[in-house]
Amino acid sequence: MKKKMYVNELKVGAVLSYVSMGLGYLVSIIYTPIMLRLLGQSEFGLYNLVASVVAYLGVLNFGFGSAYMRYYSRYKTKEDNEKIENLNGMFLIIFSLLGLIAVFAGTILTLNTEVIFGAELTNTEISRAKMLMFILVINLGVSFPNIVFTSHITANEKFVFQKLVQMIKTIANPFVVLPLLILGYGSVGMVIATTLLNVVIEFINAIYCINTLHMKFSFKNFDFKLMKEMTIFTSFIFINLLIDQINWNVDKFILGRFHGTTSVALYGLAAQLNTYYLSIASTMSSVFIPRVHRLVANSDNSELLKLFTRIGRLQFIALSLIASGLVFFGRPFINFWAGANYDGAYPIVLILIIPVTIPLIQNIGIEIQRAKNMHQFRSWVYFFIALGNLGLTIPLAKIYGGIGAAVGTAVALIIGNGFIMNWYNHVKVGLDMKYFWKQILSFVPALAIPVTIGIIINIFFEIKGILLFLILGIIYVSIFSISMWYFGMNQYEKDLLGKPIKKLLKKDR
């Protein structure tokens, strides 16, 4: 009975993940163009620039959230409630202190805004940047203690609650923000509204953990030995967090220094579309994190490979549709959605999205490495690759703007994820990457037909109207789906899609 409830929780959580993600995209499609026009390109660029700097303070959580998952799972298996309570108390203290450090560091950054952003910003933009930075720093500092509650919810696999809260936040955000934008409060009003909403969500998470999950805290015995062990474990996760910030946020900062807020706005929109792309893969794999830790604890490598490949194939099906769709329909979509003045974001988003597909279809492998405590190599490789990215991006961004910055990031992703990490997963982690890529490359025949159709559409049609865009888009998605069904998907993948549809049709009868 307990196992059946777990399976249902996992299935419903996975479904809600995609419902939440789909809802997020729907809200974004409606909300983002309104927000862009109310803010204006320059202020949207300024917001992205400030947010990219504040995001660096987020690395001060040092990856302790992953450590909580690791040690909570260990104590839960042994049903050691006393150690769980000590763990909860330790983490609440740790994250509260880290939150205070983040606020202190952020305050110093706020006082030195002129030095950070350079001469490309006007006095008005510098003044507004100070206000934005201060509010975002407070938002970040308050969010740190909440990490222990969100980690506890994930560790207990309460995916239904987690995704429902996320859906509420997604729906509520535009209703909270848009009135302030309409009243003319601009980016400052937007970040104030977002901060207040985040505080409410964090409070809900805390109440749920304490009242429903009966989460208890003990502050009597701070285990310094465990703290040392966790620090060693998380030090490499911290390097990964720092690397992610370099790869995804440093470009905006460099563009702001050399080209001002308009260039940041174009890159920021492309980065936002890239974030949506990243979330598709991470949403699918996130619900399997606890299962990965259990399989590793049981030393079940064959099941790990099956899980790794199964998730990778599902991720590839979804990502290949979106990536190819962006290649063929991305430019008119950006022009309709964001406006003609954002046309320059199209080549940037392609340069970012296509290379990142490789690590995205393998992102459950990161959790496998962490569960096996073999993530140190990845951290060092990514660290040096990120430095190379930085070295490439500065001159390329200075000369070629946003496209140059994106190329620097793409090269780093291809070298680090495309070659080195595949070798490491195969040779050291114990994942048969030859088998994995054989399974992924089996999709090539299924992609041939839709790609050909996409090329023909782009040769014979100039997509200027929304109606034509929608008609051709539906045709492309339909051809892609039919081709993938008959020439790409295996029986497991067909059942995953087909069985729920059959059940719904039977209910209707």
Side-chain angles (χ1 to χ4, degrees):
M1 184 68 181
K2 190 175 180 181
K3 186 178 179 181
K4 188 177 180 181
M5 286 176 66
Y6 162 72
V7 172
N8 289 336
E9 180 83 23
L10 191 66
K11 286 183 177 179
V12 175
V15 171
L16 283 176
S17 293
Y18 279 94
V19 172
S20 176
M21 185 174 63
L23 188 63
Y25 294 155
L26 180 63
V27 169
S28 181
I29 287 169
I30 299 167
Y31 163 67
T32 301
I34 301 170
M35 180 266 289
L36 289 174
R37 286 158 177 80
L38 288 172
L39 275 182
Q41 194 172 41
S42 179
E43 189 158 355
F44 177 66
L46 181 67
Y47 165 74
N48 269 275
L49 182 59
V50 174
S52 70
V53 173
V54 175
Y56 279 93
L57 296 174
V59 303
L60 290 174
N61 68 52
F62 291 100
F64 276 113
S66 295
Y68 181 89
M69 293 282 294
R70 176 184 172 87
Y71 291 96
Y72 178 88
S73 298
R74 181 184 294 178
Y75 298 148
K76 187 71 175 177
T77 303
K78 297 176 181 177
E79 296 184 356
D80 195 334
N81 292 325
E82 185 179 343
K83 284 194 174 180
I84 289 174
E85 290 173 19
N86 284 332
L87 189 73
N88 293 339
M90 275 183 65
F91 272 84
L92 190 59
I93 292 169
I94 290 166
F95 282 121
S96 297
L97 289 173
L98 291 175
L100 289 172
I101 293 168
V103 171
F104 177 74
T107 304
I108 294 172
L109 290 176
T110 303
L111 295 173
N112 292 278
T113 308
E114 297 91 340
V115 179
I116 295 168
F117 295 123
E120 287 295 325
L121 271 63
T122 65
N123 290 334
T124 303
E125 287 175 334
I126 289 291
S127 177
R128 185 159 293 174
K130 281 182 181 290
M131 287 189 283
L132 288 173
M133 188 173 287
F134 179 73
I135 299 163
L136 288 171
V137 163
I138 296 299
N139 181 16
L140 182 69
V142 172
S143 72
F144 268 52
N146 188 61
I147 296 173
V148 69
F149 297 110
T150 55
S151 298
H152 189 76
I153 293 167
T154 303
N156 281 277
E157 301 177 52
K158 298 300 178 183
F159 303 118
V160 174
F161 170 82
Q162 201 170 45
K163 301 307 174 184
L164 284 173
V165 169
Q166 183 60 43
M167 286 168 66
I168 292 167
K169 183 180 177 180
T170 300
I171 296 168
N173 189 60
F175 288 101
V176 174
V177 172
L178 281 178
L180 293 175
L181 290 178
I182 292 167
L183 290 170
Y185 290 102
S187 54
V188 174
M190 183 171 72
V191 296
I192 289 173
T194 305
T195 299
L196 292 174
L197 181 61
N198 285 342
V199 169
V200 171
I201 295 298
E202 287 158 10
F203 182 73
I204 291 170
N205 285 333
I207 293 298
Y208 177 77
C209 284
I210 293 167
N211 289 349
T212 305
L213 299 183
H214 308 293
M215 187 179 186
K216 295 179 181 178
F217 299 86
S218 175
F219 303 99
K220 296 176 183 177
N221 302 309
F222 193 95
D223 193 336
F224 287 97
K225 184 181 177 182
L226 178 62
M227 181 66 189
K228 182 181 178 181
E229 185 181 337
M230 286 192 303
T231 302
I232 295 169
F233 174 78
T234 59
S235 61
F236 292 96
I237 297 174
F238 167 72
I239 294 172
N240 288 339
L241 293 172
L242 187 60
I243 291 160
D244 284 340
Q245 292 304 321
I246 292 172
N247 284 336
W248 301 121
N249 279 314
V250 78
D251 292 358
K252 297 174 192 174
F253 175 71
I254 292 168
L255 288 171
R257 294 279 302 187
F258 292 135
H259 299 284
T261 54
T262 300
S263 181
V264 178
L266 291 175
Y267 195 94
L269 185 72
Q272 185 174 332
L273 292 172
N274 184 52
T275 300
Y276 297 153
Y277 191 68
L278 296 171
S279 69
I280 292 168
S282 60
T283 299
M284 186 179 292
S285 59
S286 63
V287 295
F288 292 97
I289 291 173
R291 184 185 293 185
V292 165
H293 283 267
R294 282 199 303 275
L295 289 173
V296 170
N298 295 328
S299 302
D300 199 338
N301 260 356
S302 62
E303 284 301 314
L304 272 177
L305 177 63
K306 288 178 185 176
L307 182 67
F308 179 69
T309 306
R310 191 186 305 142
I311 296 169
R313 281 179 58 89
L314 292 171
Q315 288 169 327
F316 183 84
I317 292 169
L319 295 179
S320 60
L321 172 60
I322 295 162
S324 61
L326 272 171
V327 170
F328 300 124
F329 302 99
R331 190 181 293 277
F333 170 75
I334 288 171
N335 286 318
F336 293 142
W337 182 54
N341 56 334
Y342 283 94
D343 184 76
Y346 171 69
I348 298 172
V349 77
L350 290 187
I351 295 168
L352 290 175
I353 277 178
I354 292 172
V356 83
T357 305
I358 297 171
L360 286 183
I361 63 173
Q362 301 175 3
N363 64 359
I364 198 70
I366 298 171
E367 205 59 43
I368 292 172
Q369 290 173 20
R370 288 175 181 172
K372 289 189 170 190
N373 199 16
M374 298 178 69
H375 55 290
Q376 297 89 340
F377 177 81
R378 176 181 180 272
S379 301
W380 285 119
V381 168
Y382 278 30
F383 177 72
F384 289 111
I385 292 293
L387 292 179
N389 175 17
L390 189 60
L392 276 173
T393 297
I394 292 172
L396 288 174
K398 193 173 182 178
I399 300 168
Y400 301 107
I403 291 176
V407 167
T409 300
V411 170
L413 288 170
I414 291 167
I415 295 172
N417 296 289
F419 296 107
I420 299 175
M421 288 317 302
N422 272 266
W423 170 83
Y424 182 70
N425 279 333
H426 185 77
V427 175
K428 299 295 182 181
V429 180
L431 295 170
D432 188 344
M433 297 308 295
K434 290 180 181 177
Y435 171 80
F436 174 83
W437 279 110
K438 185 179 178 182
Q439 293 297 310
I440 296 299
L441 290 174
S442 68
F443 285 116
V444 170
L447 291 173
I449 297 171
V451 167
T452 303
I453 296 298
I455 292 169
I456 292 169
I457 287 172
N458 272 260
I459 291 172
F460 291 100
F461 293 92
E462 190 176 356
I463 307 173
K464 288 188 174 180
I466 294 177
L467 182 60
L468 180 62
F469 171 79
L470 291 172
I471 291 169
L472 293 175
I474 290 168
I475 291 170
Y476 181 78
V477 171
S478 301
I479 291 170
F480 182 96
S481 302
I482 293 167
S483 181
M484 193 59 69
W485 181 273
Y486 286 105
F487 303 112
M489 295 169 71
N490 59 32
Q491 195 57 49
Y492 168 79
E493 290 150 2
K494 289 179 180 178
D495 289 342
L496 205 63
L497 183 64
K499 284 183 178 179
I501 294 172
K502 287 179 182 178
K503 284 182 181 179
L504 285 172
L505 291 174
K506 284 181 181 180
K507 284 181 181 179
D508 288 341
R509 292 174 187 174

